[in-house]
């Protein structure tokens, strides 16, 4: 295990060393809300961050398994390509935005715009999510064990949303869909991979009504 | 952009550390607002017969002691004065309207940054680090404080346009965001007797709260009304003589994070400002929800 103390050495040095590390296990101390910790890593390494982080932690992650023992600021795991980011606390807005792949697990709550424009990644939130989550989400899965805020899935494309609790309101062109056996299995596998204990049977599925894909004069009022 | 911070001490034994805590928080918000910085500090409440003013002079050579002598003679009252860089705090037993009239007539170049019994406001162009050094922010003792670092987007970079803004006794507001209906609202408030010193949008928000308080609203009620009347993006931190409050707009466009333990309540645009505070390891940390008023003390 390599220990790196951000109270003793600069963030730039840490990220440079992480970018050059082909493998290994890292422990990062005193994050103290700094931005871009462990962003841009592209190797199958394990990174544990002991405390709260600022913006864009684990952004653009490829392959690495990152664990944050605290809460995260805006844009955690933004544009993730693969690997895992696990947050023990809460996350601020735009968690997992634009993610192409990989898995983001939030053990607490996520605030607004969670999974905005996600493009194939998976996000599992054990608590609740804020307003405008999965806005224009293109593909991938967003799982929320508790409640979702207003305008869920506004202008959504082909991402799939599972909500265990209530939904304040759905955004334009987002509708509830039937929970098939195939979806139940997919959700059960994702919850299991995330280490989250929840009964897939209590979730509802939401997705695109596909009415906004092309302009249609009959649907002008939806725009 | 812009960065805002607020600290409210629940444990009064920490009052001597207020400046150290505030300076550490403000320094962390440097990148969010390198154009100018400012603080409001609540401390040294004056006798009820007196009024406390924070005055600003753009003239670095300004003779504050001469002003003290003239002011004391004009009002036949003792004047206490504390000079701090380009600002000076005056305490005098005299009616505020008379003081304002006298200052306007005799010293039109001076600006009144704050008025009340407890509040003091200091603000200046330049980086937050320069500001902290120049105004000896670490040395302040007090009960609560607000801070602002500004990246100007909507009006000029001058000392007067810097935050915090105060438009009423002991009331102060710092703002991250921009208001879109401030011109209309300013006119409406002016018709109701609220005075403004600049064309800045955040000053309108401070004026709006003052007007609400004058109508008998509590700070919490005033902020709830603000959700209806203010259009735009905002995270506000607000101070009154004994109170502290935070409000975000319904879309929660601008960032905010809060933390609380037995000793203090803190808010900031980013957690790294709060990470500087003693005891933060055991504090409860959360993101304030949109369109929700959070308040402490006599708010």
């Amino acid at each position: 295990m390599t220990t790196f103390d951000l109270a003793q050495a600069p963030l730039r040095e840490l990220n440079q060393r992480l970018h050059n590390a082909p493998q290994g296990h890292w422990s990062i101390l005193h994050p103290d809300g700094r931005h871009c910790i462990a962003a841009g890593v592209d190797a199958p390494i394990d990174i544990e961050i002991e405390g709260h982080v600022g913006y864009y932690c684990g952004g653009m992650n490829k392959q690495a398994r990152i664990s944050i023992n605290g809460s995260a600021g805006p844009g955690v795991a933004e544009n993730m390509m693969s690997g895992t980011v696990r947050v023990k606390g809460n996350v601020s807005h735009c968690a997992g935005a634009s993610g192409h792949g990989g898995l983001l697990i939030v053990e607490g709550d996520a605030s607004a715009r969670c999974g905005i424009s996600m493009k194939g990644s998976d996000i599992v939130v054990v608590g609740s999510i804020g307003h405008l989550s999965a806005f224009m989400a293109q593909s991938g899965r967003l799982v929320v064990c508790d409640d979702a805020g207003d305008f869920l899935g506004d202008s959504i494309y082909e991402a799939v949303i599972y909500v265990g609790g209530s939904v304040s309101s759905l955004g334009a062109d987002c509708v509830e869909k039937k929970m098939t056996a195939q979806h139940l299995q997919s959700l059960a596998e994702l919850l299991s991979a995330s280490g989250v204990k929840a009964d897939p049977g209590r979730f509802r599925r939401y997705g695109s009504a596909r009415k906004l894909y092309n302009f249609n004069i009959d649907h002008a009022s939806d725009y | 952009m812009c960065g805002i911070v607020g600290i409210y001490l629940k444990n009064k034994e920490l009052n001597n550390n207020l400046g150290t805590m505030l300076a550490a928080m403000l320094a962390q918000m440097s990148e969010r607002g390198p154009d100018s910085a400012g603080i409001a500090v609540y401390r040294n409440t004056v006798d009820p017969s007196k009024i406390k003013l924070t005055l600003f002079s753009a003239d670095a050579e300004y003779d504050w002691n001469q002003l003290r002598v003239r002011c004391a003679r004009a009002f036949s009252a003792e004047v206490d004065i504390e000079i701090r860089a380009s600002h000076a705090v005056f305490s005098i037993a005299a009616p505020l309207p008379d003081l304002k009239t006298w200052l306007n007539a005799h010293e039109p170049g001076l600006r009144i940054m704050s008025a009340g019994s407890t509040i003091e406001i200091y603000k200046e162009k330049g980086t937050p680090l320069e500001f902290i050094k120049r105004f000896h922010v670490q040395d302040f003792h007090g009960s609560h404080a607000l801070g602002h670092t500004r990246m100007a987007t909507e009006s000029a970079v001058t000392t007067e346009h810097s935050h915090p803004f105060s438009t009423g006794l002991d009331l102060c507001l710092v703002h991250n965001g921009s208001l879109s209906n401030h011109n209309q609202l300013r006119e409406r408030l002016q018709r109701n007797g609220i005075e403004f010193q600049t064309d800045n949008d955040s000053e309108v928000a401070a004026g709006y709260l003052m007007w609400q308080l004058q109508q008998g609203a509590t700070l919490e009620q005033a902020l709830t009304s603000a959700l209806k009347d203010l259009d735009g993006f905002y995270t506000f931190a607000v101070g009154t003589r004994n109170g502290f409050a935070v409000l975000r707009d319904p879309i929660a466009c601008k960032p905010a994070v809060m933390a609380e333990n037995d000793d203090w309540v803190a808010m900031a645009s980013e957690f790294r400002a709060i990470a500087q505070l003693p005891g933060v390891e055991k504090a409860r940390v959360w993101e304030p929800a949109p369109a929700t008023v959070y308040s402490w003390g006599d708010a």
Side-chain angles (χ1 to χ4, degrees):
Chain A
M1 169 102 74
T2 311
T3 300
F4 193 102
D5 188 347
L6 280 166
Q8 304 295 327
L11 174 67
R12 207 171 272 268
E13 184 184 322
L14 168 69
N15 280 344
Q16 201 61 61
R17 287 180 65 186
L18 292 175
H19 294 170
N20 294 334
Q23 59 202 1
H25 194 149
W26 291 70
S27 171
I28 298 167
L29 308 179
H30 297 112
D32 292 347
R34 286 178 179 83
H35 300 334
C36 305
I37 295 174
V41 178
D42 183 5
I45 57 179
D46 290 284
I47 301 169
E48 288 178 46
I49 305 170
E50 303 300 334
H52 305 309
V53 297
Y55 288 39
Y56 312 127
C57 182
M60 300 176 282
N61 183 47
K62 230 171 165 180
Q63 305 187 66
R65 294 169 293 269
I66 301 172
S67 178
I68 300 163
N69 289 319
S71 289
V76 66
E78 187 178 71
N79 210 67
M80 179 155 57
M81 304 304 286
S82 65
T84 311
V85 174
R86 179 184 289 275
V87 186
K88 297 285 169 75
N90 303 319
V91 298
S92 184
H93 63 96
C94 298
S98 324
H100 288 252
L103 171 62
L104 167 65
I105 305 143
V106 178
E107 296 190 1
D109 298 321
S111 72
R113 299 175 279 274
C114 179
I116 182 170
S117 193
M118 55 195 285
K119 296 176 174 71
S121 59
D122 288 321
I123 302 175
V124 176
V125 180
V126 177
S128 297
I129 58 171
H131 61 269
L132 274 171
S133 289
F135 174 64
M136 294 189 85
Q138 289 146 53
S139 72
R141 293 170 291 180
L142 170 63
V143 179
V144 189
C145 296
D146 280 345
D147 306 332
D150 280 324
F151 319 122
L152 179 69
D154 193 284
S155 306
I156 191 170
Y157 292 89
E158 291 305 303
V160 183
I161 307 171
Y162 298 101
V163 183
S166 66
V167 174
S168 292
S169 65
L170 292 173
D173 210 34
C174 185
V175 292
E176 186 176 348
K177 295 188 166 185
K178 190 166 179 269
M179 197 76 171
T180 65
Q182 180 200 340
H183 291 108
L184 276 170
Q185 190 191 341
S186 161
L187 175 59
E189 283 168 10
L190 183 52
L191 286 168
S192 168
S194 309
V196 174
K197 285 193 179 71
D199 172 15
R202 71 177 175 88
F203 284 77
R204 289 161 177 261
R205 178 168 73 101
Y206 299 88
S208 176
R210 301 181 179 125
K211 286 183 180 174
L212 291 181
Y213 275 33
N214 301 294
F215 182 75
N216 181 331
I217 194 65
D218 295 336
H219 301 133
S221 62
D222 290 340
Y223 288 86
Chain B
M1 209 63 169
C2 295
I4 60 179
V5 300
I7 177 91
Y8 177 85
L9 300 177
K10 292 156 77 177
N11 178 358
K12 299 305 166 201
E13 284 176 17
L14 286 176
N15 280 16
N16 289 354
N17 301 346
L18 184 76
T20 325
M21 295 164 90
L22 178 64
M25 293 178 86
L26 203 62
Q28 287 292 324
M29 292 296 96
S30 293
E31 290 87 352
R32 293 191 69 91
D35 294 341
S36 56
I39 55 170
V41 183
Y42 290 85
R43 63 168 198 149
N44 297 348
T45 304
V46 295
D47 186 84
S49 63
K50 289 186 174 179
I51 187 98
K52 176 158 84 167
L53 300 179
T54 317
L55 301 173
F56 160 73
S57 171
D59 174 6
E61 305 295 316
Y62 187 78
D63 189 345
W64 292 105
N65 276 311
Q66 199 228 10
L67 177 72
R68 183 181 66 82
V69 172
R70 285 165 55 212
C71 191
R73 198 182 301 138
F75 289 92
S76 308
E78 208 173 294
V79 178
D80 293 325
I81 177 172
E82 188 184 334
I83 302 161
R84 200 177 279 260
S86 53
H87 293 50
V89 174
F90 266 57
S91 306
I92 181 172
L96 180 59
D98 298 355
L99 268 173
K100 278 186 177 170
T101 309
W102 188 86
L103 283 168
N104 269 337
H106 297 88
E107 293 292 331
L110 292 181
R111 289 275 192 173
I112 300 174
M113 293 308 197
S114 71
S117 65
T118 310
I119 193 172
E120 295 172 15
I121 286 182
Y122 304 89
K123 51 192 186 182
E124 197 47 280
K125 298 186 295 282
T127 68
L129 290 179
E130 286 163 6
F131 174 86
I132 290 166
K133 205 169 151 195
R134 196 167 163 207
F135 286 83
H136 303 281
V137 175
Q138 283 97 337
D139 297 345
F140 281 108
H141 301 173
S143 55
H144 53 304
L146 303 175
H148 189 272
T149 63
R150 182 165 186 242
M151 187 181 284
T153 53
E154 138 311 322
S155 55
V157 178
T158 71
T159 304
E160 290 84 350
H161 284 86
S162 308
H163 300 218
F165 282 104
S166 178
T167 48
L169 296 181
D170 287 317
L171 176 82
C172 168
L173 173 138
V174 286
H175 174 203
N176 175 204
S178 57
L179 301 178
S180 45
N181 65 339
H182 62 100
N183 284 327
Q184 184 194 33
L185 197 55
R186 187 185 296 106
E187 283 174 17
R188 200 174 108 197
L189 292 165
Q190 280 168 334
R191 282 198 296 275
N192 285 287
I194 302 288
E195 291 171 25
F196 295 95
Q197 298 199 20
T198 72
D199 56 350
N200 182 282
D201 60 336
S202 310
E203 191 184 12
V204 174
Y208 174 83
L209 294 182
M210 193 61 225
W211 176 69
Q212 285 283 342
L213 296 178
Q214 283 175 2
Q215 305 302 304
T218 62
L219 180 58
E220 203 166 329
Q221 287 165 340
L223 286 168
T224 305
S225 303
L227 284 166
K228 185 166 54 59
D229 289 332
L230 299 184
D231 188 13
F233 303 133
Y234 50 86
T235 292
F236 293 136
V238 184
T240 61
R241 192 156 72 89
N242 303 309
F244 172 63
V246 172
L247 176 69
R248 297 175 83 193
D249 68 69
I251 305 288
C253 227
K254 295 295 173 181
V257 59
M258 302 199 67
E260 182 172 17
N261 64 15
D262 291 342
D263 291 332
W264 45 257
V265 177
M267 82 78 58
S269 298
E270 299 176 20
F271 178 73
R272 59 182 167 144
I274 293 174
Q276 311 304 314
L277 299 177
V280 67
E281 303 80 15
K282 292 192 175 147
R284 183 172 78 92
V285 178
W286 78 99
E287 181 172 317
T292 305
V293 179
Y294 296 85
S295 66
W296 285 265
D298 195 7

